[in-house]
Amino acid sequence: MNKKQLQSEQTKKKLADASKALFVQKGYKATSIEDIVAATGSSKGNIYYHFKSKEGLFLYLIDEWDREWEASWSAKEHLYRTSTEKIYGLAEQLIMDDLNHPLTKAADEFFTGEKKENDIQERIAVMFERHIEFNKQLIQEGIDKGEFNQNHVEHLALILESIIIGLSQMSRKLEPDEALALYRQAAGVFLYGIAKDKQHN
């Protein structure tokens, strides 16, 4: 990365960080480009140069959140001895992240809001593809280790992602302990369908 690209990235990050505080405080819909201009001291043209739109800026923050989540998972994944433990660990990290992340409320608004521009839809699709790929690797590892039955990995990865998205929406009003119990139970329900050990019968 040359000096100009580095400066551009640094400017982009500064704009994103200042905007993040607004999204946290006001929510996604109530934060306008004018608010961002006022908070950052940057021109509207400069913001559009770096992000193209308010949606693009917010998606940059979501991407950043995703990368932080992945780094956090990578740092502790080795603590889980089996793929089954990893699925439970995944459930726990997801709920703790969901409950504690400052952008959760704004992200709910963003994803359930009005129809997105094509380029934003494409970027969201890429993000979900990354999630599906993560799930596939986790499930395939369990199959390779002989913990899970041979199965359609792509389908299982989609099912797991659907459970995660659904739980994220349905657990919003629950107390943290109750939400955590729900996520753990969901992990158990998912595993019950693919684990070789059918002791639950």
mmCIF file of all heavy atoms in Angstrom, residues 16 19-20 22-23 26-37 44 47-62 106 109-110 114 116-117 119-120 123:
data_model
loop_
_atom_site.group_PDB
_atom_site.id
_atom_site.type_symbol
_atom_site.label_atom_id
_atom_site.label_comp_id
_atom_site.label_asym_id
_atom_site.label_seq_id
_atom_site.Cartn_x
_atom_site.Cartn_y
_atom_site.Cartn_z
ATOM 1 N N ALA A 16 -15.345 6.632 9.591
ATOM 2 C CA ALA A 16 -16.167 5.510 10.056
ATOM 3 C C ALA A 16 -16.292 5.517 11.578
ATOM 4 O O ALA A 16 -17.386 5.333 12.122
ATOM 5 C CB ALA A 16 -15.572 4.197 9.579
ATOM 6 N N SER A 19 -18.549 8.289 12.719
ATOM 7 C CA SER A 19 -19.940 7.958 12.356
ATOM 8 C C SER A 19 -20.512 6.875 13.262
ATOM 9 O O SER A 19 -21.705 6.893 13.588
ATOM 10 C CB SER A 19 -19.997 7.472 10.904
ATOM 11 O OG SER A 19 -19.423 8.415 10.055
ATOM 12 N N LYS A 20 -19.662 5.941 13.642
ATOM 13 C CA LYS A 20 -20.102 4.827 14.496
ATOM 14 C C LYS A 20 -20.745 5.357 15.776
ATOM 15 O O LYS A 20 -21.797 4.878 16.204
ATOM 16 C CB LYS A 20 -18.904 3.935 14.835
ATOM 17 C CG LYS A 20 -19.246 2.727 15.679
ATOM 18 C CD LYS A 20 -17.995 1.875 15.907
ATOM 19 C CE LYS A 20 -18.279 0.687 16.785
ATOM 20 N NZ LYS A 20 -17.084 -0.155 16.980
ATOM 21 N N LEU A 22 -22.311 8.081 16.208
ATOM 22 C CA LEU A 22 -23.649 8.606 15.882
ATOM 23 C C LEU A 22 -24.664 7.471 15.719
ATOM 24 O O LEU A 22 -25.785 7.554 16.222
ATOM 25 C CB LEU A 22 -23.603 9.410 14.576
ATOM 26 C CG LEU A 22 -23.064 10.830 14.630
ATOM 27 C CD1 LEU A 22 -22.957 11.388 13.221
ATOM 28 C CD2 LEU A 22 -23.962 11.730 15.479
ATOM 29 N N PHE A 23 -24.272 6.426 14.993
ATOM 30 C CA PHE A 23 -25.176 5.289 14.777
ATOM 31 C C PHE A 23 -25.538 4.624 16.106
ATOM 32 O O PHE A 23 -26.673 4.199 16.304
ATOM 33 C CB PHE A 23 -24.538 4.266 13.835
ATOM 34 C CG PHE A 23 -24.470 4.692 12.399
ATOM 35 C CD1 PHE A 23 -23.268 4.681 11.703
ATOM 36 C CD2 PHE A 23 -25.615 5.093 11.724
ATOM 37 C CE1 PHE A 23 -23.204 5.060 10.364
ATOM 38 C CE2 PHE A 23 -25.572 5.481 10.384
ATOM 39 C CZ PHE A 23 -24.356 5.470 9.704
ATOM 40 N N LYS A 26 -27.891 7.414 17.944
ATOM 41 C CA LYS A 26 -29.167 7.787 17.326
ATOM 42 C C LYS A 26 -29.871 6.646 16.598
ATOM 43 O O LYS A 26 -31.055 6.758 16.273
ATOM 44 C CB LYS A 26 -28.936 8.927 16.320
ATOM 45 C CG LYS A 26 -28.380 10.193 16.945
ATOM 46 C CD LYS A 26 -28.178 11.290 15.916
ATOM 47 C CE LYS A 26 -29.510 11.853 15.453
ATOM 48 N NZ LYS A 26 -29.361 13.082 14.645
ATOM 49 N N GLY A 27 -29.125 5.588 16.299
ATOM 50 C CA GLY A 27 -29.695 4.526 15.475
ATOM 51 C C GLY A 27 -29.354 4.766 14.015
ATOM 52 O O GLY A 27 -28.831 5.823 13.659
ATOM 53 N N TYR A 28 -29.664 3.793 13.176
ATOM 54 C CA TYR A 28 -29.290 3.893 11.761
ATOM 55 C C TYR A 28 -30.154 4.915 11.015
ATOM 56 O O TYR A 28 -29.642 5.814 10.355
ATOM 57 C CB TYR A 28 -29.388 2.522 11.073
ATOM 58 C CG TYR A 28 -29.114 2.600 9.595
ATOM 59 C CD1 TYR A 28 -27.817 2.798 9.123
ATOM 60 C CD2 TYR A 28 -30.153 2.534 8.662
ATOM 61 C CE1 TYR A 28 -27.555 2.915 7.769
ATOM 62 C CE2 TYR A 28 -29.899 2.646 7.305
ATOM 63 C CZ TYR A 28 -28.602 2.844 6.869
ATOM 64 O OH TYR A 28 -28.351 2.967 5.517
ATOM 65 N N LYS A 29 -31.478 4.772 11.130
ATOM 66 C CA LYS A 29 -32.383 5.615 10.334
ATOM 67 C C LYS A 29 -32.291 7.087 10.713
ATOM 68 O O LYS A 29 -32.359 7.962 9.860
ATOM 69 C CB LYS A 29 -33.835 5.126 10.499
ATOM 70 C CG LYS A 29 -34.112 3.837 9.756
ATOM 71 C CD LYS A 29 -35.520 3.342 10.004
ATOM 72 C CE LYS A 29 -35.713 1.962 9.399
ATOM 73 N NZ LYS A 29 -36.914 1.287 9.889
ATOM 74 N N ALA A 30 -32.148 7.371 12.006
ATOM 75 C CA ALA A 30 -32.155 8.757 12.479
ATOM 76 C C ALA A 30 -30.840 9.493 12.214
ATOM 77 O O ALA A 30 -30.769 10.709 12.352
ATOM 78 C CB ALA A 30 -32.484 8.799 13.967
ATOM 79 N N THR A 31 -29.818 8.767 11.849
ATOM 80 C CA THR A 31 -28.524 9.404 11.549
ATOM 81 C C THR A 31 -28.491 9.786 10.068
ATOM 82 O O THR A 31 -28.649 8.928 9.201
ATOM 83 C CB THR A 31 -27.353 8.441 11.851
ATOM 84 O OG1 THR A 31 -27.390 8.091 13.235
ATOM 85 C CG2 THR A 31 -26.016 9.088 11.538
ATOM 86 N N SER A 32 -28.323 11.052 9.796
ATOM 87 C CA SER A 32 -28.292 11.525 8.404
ATOM 88 C C SER A 32 -26.853 11.809 7.970
ATOM 89 O O SER A 32 -25.955 11.922 8.808
ATOM 90 C CB SER A 32 -29.111 12.812 8.273
ATOM 91 O OG SER A 32 -28.478 13.853 9.004
ATOM 92 N N ILE A 33 -26.677 11.943 6.672
ATOM 93 C CA ILE A 33 -25.355 12.323 6.146
ATOM 94 C C ILE A 33 -24.954 13.682 6.711
ATOM 95 O O ILE A 33 -23.787 13.917 7.033
ATOM 96 C CB ILE A 33 -25.364 12.338 4.594
ATOM 97 C CG1 ILE A 33 -25.353 10.908 4.041
ATOM 98 C CG2 ILE A 33 -24.176 13.120 4.046
ATOM 99 C CD1 ILE A 33 -24.038 10.142 4.210
ATOM 100 N N GLU A 34 -25.926 14.571 6.881
ATOM 101 C CA GLU A 34 -25.649 15.903 7.460
ATOM 102 C C GLU A 34 -25.099 15.767 8.880
ATOM 103 O O GLU A 34 -24.188 16.506 9.267
ATOM 104 C CB GLU A 34 -26.921 16.769 7.465
ATOM 105 C CG GLU A 34 -27.344 17.295 6.106
ATOM 106 C CD GLU A 34 -27.896 16.219 5.171
ATOM 107 O OE1 GLU A 34 -28.402 15.184 5.680
ATOM 108 O OE2 GLU A 34 -27.790 16.393 3.936
ATOM 109 N N ASP A 35 -25.665 14.836 9.655
ATOM 110 C CA ASP A 35 -25.156 14.572 11.016
ATOM 111 C C ASP A 35 -23.694 14.119 10.952
ATOM 112 O O ASP A 35 -22.863 14.534 11.763
ATOM 113 C CB ASP A 35 -25.968 13.460 11.709
ATOM 114 C CG ASP A 35 -27.396 13.881 12.017
ATOM 115 O OD1 ASP A 35 -27.635 15.082 12.197
ATOM 116 O OD2 ASP A 35 -28.268 12.987 12.067
ATOM 117 N N ILE A 36 -23.420 13.256 9.994
ATOM 118 C CA ILE A 36 -22.064 12.720 9.843
ATOM 119 C C ILE A 36 -21.092 13.832 9.424
ATOM 120 O O ILE A 36 -19.978 13.913 9.927
ATOM 121 C CB ILE A 36 -22.054 11.539 8.839
ATOM 122 C CG1 ILE A 36 -22.868 10.360 9.419
ATOM 123 C CG2 ILE A 36 -20.633 11.088 8.524
ATOM 124 C CD1 ILE A 36 -23.207 9.263 8.433
ATOM 125 N N VAL A 37 -21.545 14.700 8.523
ATOM 126 C CA VAL A 37 -20.737 15.857 8.102
ATOM 127 C C VAL A 37 -20.385 16.710 9.318
ATOM 128 O O VAL A 37 -19.230 17.088 9.533
ATOM 129 C CB VAL A 37 -21.487 16.705 7.038
ATOM 130 C CG1 VAL A 37 -20.823 18.067 6.852
ATOM 131 C CG2 VAL A 37 -21.539 15.955 5.705
ATOM 132 N N LYS A 44 -19.527 16.544 2.558
ATOM 133 C CA LYS A 44 -20.390 15.477 2.065
ATOM 134 C C LYS A 44 -19.712 14.747 0.902
ATOM 135 O O LYS A 44 -19.753 13.523 0.806
ATOM 136 C CB LYS A 44 -21.731 16.072 1.618
ATOM 137 C CG LYS A 44 -22.832 15.054 1.423
ATOM 138 C CD LYS A 44 -24.134 15.684 0.940
ATOM 139 C CE LYS A 44 -24.878 16.402 2.030
ATOM 140 N NZ LYS A 44 -26.256 16.775 1.605
ATOM 141 N N ILE A 47 -17.161 12.256 2.128
ATOM 142 C CA ILE A 47 -17.808 11.048 2.678
ATOM 143 C C ILE A 47 -18.260 10.148 1.531
ATOM 144 O O ILE A 47 -18.014 8.935 1.544
ATOM 145 C CB ILE A 47 -18.997 11.432 3.591
ATOM 146 C CG1 ILE A 47 -18.468 12.108 4.868
ATOM 147 C CG2 ILE A 47 -19.830 10.196 3.954
ATOM 148 C CD1 ILE A 47 -19.497 12.862 5.659
ATOM 149 N N TYR A 48 -18.896 10.754 0.509
ATOM 150 C CA TYR A 48 -19.353 9.968 -0.641
ATOM 151 C C TYR A 48 -18.185 9.391 -1.451
ATOM 152 O O TYR A 48 -18.297 8.320 -2.035
ATOM 153 C CB TYR A 48 -20.259 10.804 -1.538
ATOM 154 C CG TYR A 48 -21.651 11.012 -0.972
ATOM 155 C CD1 TYR A 48 -22.281 12.255 -1.048
ATOM 156 C CD2 TYR A 48 -22.338 9.963 -0.363
ATOM 157 C CE1 TYR A 48 -23.553 12.447 -0.531
ATOM 158 C CE2 TYR A 48 -23.606 10.139 0.160
ATOM 159 C CZ TYR A 48 -24.214 11.386 0.074
ATOM 160 O OH TYR A 48 -25.466 11.560 0.597
ATOM 161 N N TYR A 49 -17.062 10.098 -1.455
ATOM 162 C CA TYR A 49 -15.875 9.613 -2.159
ATOM 163 C C TYR A 49 -15.390 8.297 -1.529
ATOM 164 O O TYR A 49 -15.035 7.349 -2.226
ATOM 165 C CB TYR A 49 -14.750 10.665 -2.114
ATOM 166 C CG TYR A 49 -13.428 10.134 -2.602
ATOM 167 C CD1 TYR A 49 -13.184 9.958 -3.963
ATOM 168 C CD2 TYR A 49 -12.417 9.777 -1.699
ATOM 169 C CE1 TYR A 49 -11.973 9.443 -4.420
ATOM 170 C CE2 TYR A 49 -11.203 9.264 -2.150
ATOM 171 C CZ TYR A 49 -10.985 9.105 -3.507
ATOM 172 O OH TYR A 49 -9.799 8.591 -3.947
ATOM 173 N N HIS A 50 -15.409 8.250 -0.209
ATOM 174 C CA HIS A 50 -14.895 7.072 0.497
ATOM 175 C C HIS A 50 -15.922 5.944 0.616
ATOM 176 O O HIS A 50 -15.545 4.772 0.639
ATOM 177 C CB HIS A 50 -14.406 7.460 1.898
ATOM 178 C CG HIS A 50 -13.108 8.211 1.876
ATOM 179 N ND1 HIS A 50 -11.906 7.607 1.589
ATOM 180 C CD2 HIS A 50 -12.831 9.519 2.088
ATOM 181 C CE1 HIS A 50 -10.934 8.502 1.631
ATOM 182 N NE2 HIS A 50 -11.469 9.673 1.934
ATOM 183 N N PHE A 51 -17.210 6.291 0.710
ATOM 184 C CA PHE A 51 -18.217 5.257 1.014
ATOM 185 C C PHE A 51 -19.386 5.166 0.030
ATOM 186 O O PHE A 51 -20.209 4.272 0.151
ATOM 187 C CB PHE A 51 -18.784 5.481 2.424
ATOM 188 C CG PHE A 51 -17.755 5.373 3.511
ATOM 189 C CD1 PHE A 51 -17.264 6.514 4.123
ATOM 190 C CD2 PHE A 51 -17.261 4.149 3.908
ATOM 191 C CE1 PHE A 51 -16.308 6.434 5.127
ATOM 192 C CE2 PHE A 51 -16.304 4.046 4.907
ATOM 193 C CZ PHE A 51 -15.824 5.193 5.521
ATOM 194 N N LYS A 52 -19.517 6.124 -0.868
ATOM 195 C CA LYS A 52 -20.598 6.171 -1.869
ATOM 196 C C LYS A 52 -21.971 6.516 -1.284
ATOM 197 O O LYS A 52 -22.772 7.183 -1.926
ATOM 198 C CB LYS A 52 -20.704 4.860 -2.656
ATOM 199 C CG LYS A 52 -19.522 4.620 -3.569
ATOM 200 C CD LYS A 52 -19.776 3.441 -4.479
ATOM 201 C CE LYS A 52 -18.592 3.193 -5.393
ATOM 202 N NZ LYS A 52 -18.725 1.956 -6.148
ATOM 203 N N SER A 53 -22.273 6.058 -0.066
ATOM 204 C CA SER A 53 -23.590 6.308 0.532
ATOM 205 C C SER A 53 -23.535 6.048 2.040
ATOM 206 O O SER A 53 -22.561 5.490 2.547
ATOM 207 C CB SER A 53 -24.633 5.363 -0.083
ATOM 208 O OG SER A 53 -24.321 4.014 0.220
ATOM 209 N N LYS A 54 -24.609 6.446 2.729
ATOM 210 C CA LYS A 54 -24.705 6.147 4.165
ATOM 211 C C LYS A 54 -24.732 4.631 4.376
ATOM 212 O O LYS A 54 -24.122 4.108 5.314
ATOM 213 C CB LYS A 54 -25.983 6.787 4.748
ATOM 214 C CG LYS A 54 -26.148 6.571 6.256
ATOM 215 C CD LYS A 54 -27.370 7.277 6.805
ATOM 216 C CE LYS A 54 -28.555 6.367 6.895
ATOM 217 N NZ LYS A 54 -29.662 6.877 7.726
ATOM 218 N N GLU A 55 -25.421 3.928 3.490
ATOM 219 C CA GLU A 55 -25.470 2.465 3.568
ATOM 220 C C GLU A 55 -24.074 1.864 3.455
ATOM 221 O O GLU A 55 -23.711 0.947 4.179
ATOM 222 C CB GLU A 55 -26.349 1.901 2.444
ATOM 223 C CG GLU A 55 -27.823 2.153 2.613
ATOM 224 C CD GLU A 55 -28.608 1.643 1.413
ATOM 225 O OE1 GLU A 55 -28.070 1.703 0.281
ATOM 226 O OE2 GLU A 55 -29.744 1.197 1.595
ATOM 227 N N GLY A 56 -23.296 2.392 2.479
ATOM 228 C CA GLY A 56 -21.937 1.905 2.263
ATOM 229 C C GLY A 56 -21.062 2.123 3.485
ATOM 230 O O GLY A 56 -20.261 1.266 3.860
ATOM 231 N N LEU A 57 -21.242 3.273 4.121
ATOM 232 C CA LEU A 57 -20.481 3.590 5.336
ATOM 233 C C LEU A 57 -20.847 2.618 6.464
ATOM 234 O O LEU A 57 -19.978 2.069 7.140
ATOM 235 C CB LEU A 57 -20.784 5.033 5.753
ATOM 236 C CG LEU A 57 -19.859 5.684 6.785
ATOM 237 C CD1 LEU A 57 -20.031 7.202 6.757
ATOM 238 C CD2 LEU A 57 -20.108 5.199 8.193
ATOM 239 N N PHE A 58 -22.150 2.391 6.625
ATOM 240 C CA PHE A 58 -22.591 1.506 7.708
ATOM 241 C C PHE A 58 -22.124 0.071 7.456
ATOM 242 O O PHE A 58 -21.717 -0.632 8.385
ATOM 243 C CB PHE A 58 -24.114 1.548 7.873
ATOM 244 C CG PHE A 58 -24.583 0.894 9.133
ATOM 245 C CD1 PHE A 58 -24.452 1.541 10.356
ATOM 246 C CD2 PHE A 58 -25.128 -0.377 9.129
ATOM 247 C CE1 PHE A 58 -24.858 0.932 11.545
ATOM 248 C CE2 PHE A 58 -25.538 -0.993 10.301
ATOM 249 C CZ PHE A 58 -25.401 -0.331 11.513
ATOM 250 N N LEU A 59 -22.160 -0.333 6.192
ATOM 251 C CA LEU A 59 -21.715 -1.690 5.855
ATOM 252 C C LEU A 59 -20.227 -1.859 6.123
ATOM 253 O O LEU A 59 -19.771 -2.935 6.506
ATOM 254 C CB LEU A 59 -22.042 -2.000 4.393
ATOM 255 C CG LEU A 59 -22.188 -3.467 4.013
ATOM 256 C CD1 LEU A 59 -23.100 -4.226 4.954
ATOM 257 C CD2 LEU A 59 -22.681 -3.608 2.589
ATOM 258 N N TYR A 60 -19.464 -0.792 5.946
ATOM 259 C CA TYR A 60 -18.039 -0.804 6.291
ATOM 260 C C TYR A 60 -17.874 -1.124 7.778
ATOM 261 O O TYR A 60 -17.016 -1.914 8.172
ATOM 262 C CB TYR A 60 -17.425 0.557 5.957
ATOM 263 C CG TYR A 60 -15.971 0.722 6.371
ATOM 264 C CD1 TYR A 60 -14.936 0.360 5.512
ATOM 265 C CD2 TYR A 60 -15.640 1.254 7.618
ATOM 266 C CE1 TYR A 60 -13.601 0.520 5.889
ATOM 267 C CE2 TYR A 60 -14.313 1.411 8.006
ATOM 268 C CZ TYR A 60 -13.301 1.050 7.138
ATOM 269 O OH TYR A 60 -11.987 1.205 7.513
ATOM 270 N N LEU A 61 -18.726 -0.511 8.616
ATOM 271 C CA LEU A 61 -18.688 -0.757 10.066
ATOM 272 C C LEU A 61 -19.096 -2.194 10.393
ATOM 273 O O LEU A 61 -18.536 -2.821 11.290
ATOM 274 C CB LEU A 61 -19.607 0.227 10.800
ATOM 275 C CG LEU A 61 -19.177 1.691 10.794
ATOM 276 C CD1 LEU A 61 -20.265 2.590 11.384
ATOM 277 C CD2 LEU A 61 -17.867 1.886 11.560
ATOM 278 N N ILE A 62 -20.076 -2.721 9.651
ATOM 279 C CA ILE A 62 -20.515 -4.105 9.853
ATOM 280 C C ILE A 62 -19.385 -5.068 9.476
ATOM 281 O O ILE A 62 -19.131 -6.059 10.169
ATOM 282 C CB ILE A 62 -21.787 -4.414 9.015
ATOM 283 C CG1 ILE A 62 -22.972 -3.564 9.489
ATOM 284 C CG2 ILE A 62 -22.128 -5.897 9.064
ATOM 285 C CD1 ILE A 62 -23.591 -3.973 10.804
ATOM 286 N N ALA A 106 -28.648 -0.582 15.764
ATOM 287 C CA ALA A 106 -28.566 0.072 14.455
ATOM 288 C C ALA A 106 -28.514 -0.963 13.325
ATOM 289 O O ALA A 106 -29.105 -0.762 12.258
ATOM 290 C CB ALA A 106 -27.343 0.989 14.401
ATOM 291 N N GLU A 109 -31.944 -2.233 12.454
ATOM 292 C CA GLU A 109 -32.634 -1.261 11.597
ATOM 293 C C GLU A 109 -32.136 -1.355 10.161
ATOM 294 O O GLU A 109 -32.914 -1.296 9.216
ATOM 295 C CB GLU A 109 -32.367 0.167 12.091
ATOM 296 C CG GLU A 109 -33.125 0.584 13.334
ATOM 297 C CD GLU A 109 -32.817 2.043 13.670
ATOM 298 O OE1 GLU A 109 -33.022 2.916 12.811
ATOM 299 O OE2 GLU A 109 -32.341 2.293 14.785
ATOM 300 N N PHE A 110 -30.829 -1.460 10.015
ATOM 301 C CA PHE A 110 -30.212 -1.492 8.680
ATOM 302 C C PHE A 110 -30.702 -2.698 7.878
ATOM 303 O O PHE A 110 -31.106 -2.559 6.728
ATOM 304 C CB PHE A 110 -28.688 -1.530 8.824
ATOM 305 C CG PHE A 110 -27.951 -1.679 7.517
ATOM 306 C CD1 PHE A 110 -27.815 -0.610 6.659
ATOM 307 C CD2 PHE A 110 -27.390 -2.907 7.159
ATOM 308 C CE1 PHE A 110 -27.126 -0.747 5.446
ATOM 309 C CE2 PHE A 110 -26.711 -3.045 5.956
ATOM 310 C CZ PHE A 110 -26.579 -1.957 5.102
ATOM 311 N N GLU A 114 -35.501 -0.326 4.437
ATOM 312 C CA GLU A 114 -35.939 -0.267 3.041
ATOM 313 C C GLU A 114 -35.002 -1.030 2.115
ATOM 314 O O GLU A 114 -33.894 -1.386 2.481
ATOM 315 C CB GLU A 114 -36.069 1.201 2.583
ATOM 316 C CG GLU A 114 -34.775 1.992 2.572
ATOM 317 C CD GLU A 114 -34.351 2.517 3.939
ATOM 318 O OE1 GLU A 114 -35.144 2.434 4.897
ATOM 319 O OE2 GLU A 114 -33.221 2.994 4.054
ATOM 320 N N LYS A 116 -32.357 -2.121 -0.474
ATOM 321 C CA LYS A 116 -30.998 -1.603 -0.638
ATOM 322 C C LYS A 116 -30.626 -1.483 -2.124
ATOM 323 O O LYS A 116 -31.171 -2.194 -2.962
ATOM 324 C CB LYS A 116 -29.982 -2.543 0.040
ATOM 325 C CG LYS A 116 -30.329 -2.919 1.480
ATOM 326 C CD LYS A 116 -29.999 -1.804 2.441
ATOM 327 C CE LYS A 116 -30.237 -2.203 3.877
ATOM 328 N NZ LYS A 116 -31.624 -2.208 4.291
ATOM 329 N N GLU A 117 -29.686 -0.583 -2.402
ATOM 330 C CA GLU A 117 -29.138 -0.465 -3.758
ATOM 331 C C GLU A 117 -28.430 -1.775 -4.124
ATOM 332 O O GLU A 117 -27.980 -2.512 -3.262
ATOM 333 C CB GLU A 117 -28.128 0.687 -3.819
ATOM 334 C CG GLU A 117 -28.737 2.074 -3.634
ATOM 335 C CD GLU A 117 -29.686 2.466 -4.748
ATOM 336 O OE1 GLU A 117 -29.397 2.136 -5.917
ATOM 337 O OE2 GLU A 117 -30.731 3.069 -4.453
ATOM 338 N N ASP A 119 -25.474 -2.521 -5.341
ATOM 339 C CA ASP A 119 -24.098 -2.754 -4.876
ATOM 340 C C ASP A 119 -24.071 -3.108 -3.393
ATOM 341 O O ASP A 119 -23.257 -3.913 -2.947
ATOM 342 C CB ASP A 119 -23.202 -1.534 -5.165
ATOM 343 C CG ASP A 119 -23.628 -0.293 -4.392
ATOM 344 O OD1 ASP A 119 -24.838 -0.038 -4.305
ATOM 345 O OD2 ASP A 119 -22.745 0.420 -3.878
ATOM 346 N N ILE A 120 -24.998 -2.532 -2.625
ATOM 347 C CA ILE A 120 -25.095 -2.840 -1.189
ATOM 348 C C ILE A 120 -25.619 -4.260 -1.002
ATOM 349 O O ILE A 120 -25.108 -5.027 -0.173
ATOM 350 C CB ILE A 120 -26.003 -1.820 -0.458
ATOM 351 C CG1 ILE A 120 -25.411 -0.406 -0.564
ATOM 352 C CG2 ILE A 120 -26.225 -2.222 0.995
ATOM 353 C CD1 ILE A 120 -24.094 -0.181 0.157
ATOM 354 N N ARG A 123 -22.825 -6.631 -1.595
ATOM 355 C CA ARG A 123 -21.871 -6.668 -0.477
ATOM 356 C C ARG A 123 -22.443 -7.441 0.710
ATOM 357 O O ARG A 123 -21.713 -8.164 1.399
ATOM 358 C CB ARG A 123 -21.491 -5.246 -0.060
ATOM 359 C CG ARG A 123 -20.484 -4.616 -1.026
ATOM 360 C CD ARG A 123 -20.217 -3.174 -0.714
ATOM 361 N NE ARG A 123 -19.629 -2.988 0.609
ATOM 362 C CZ ARG A 123 -19.466 -1.791 1.173
ATOM 363 N NH1 ARG A 123 -19.844 -0.702 0.538
ATOM 364 N NH2 ARG A 123 -18.924 -1.688 2.374
#
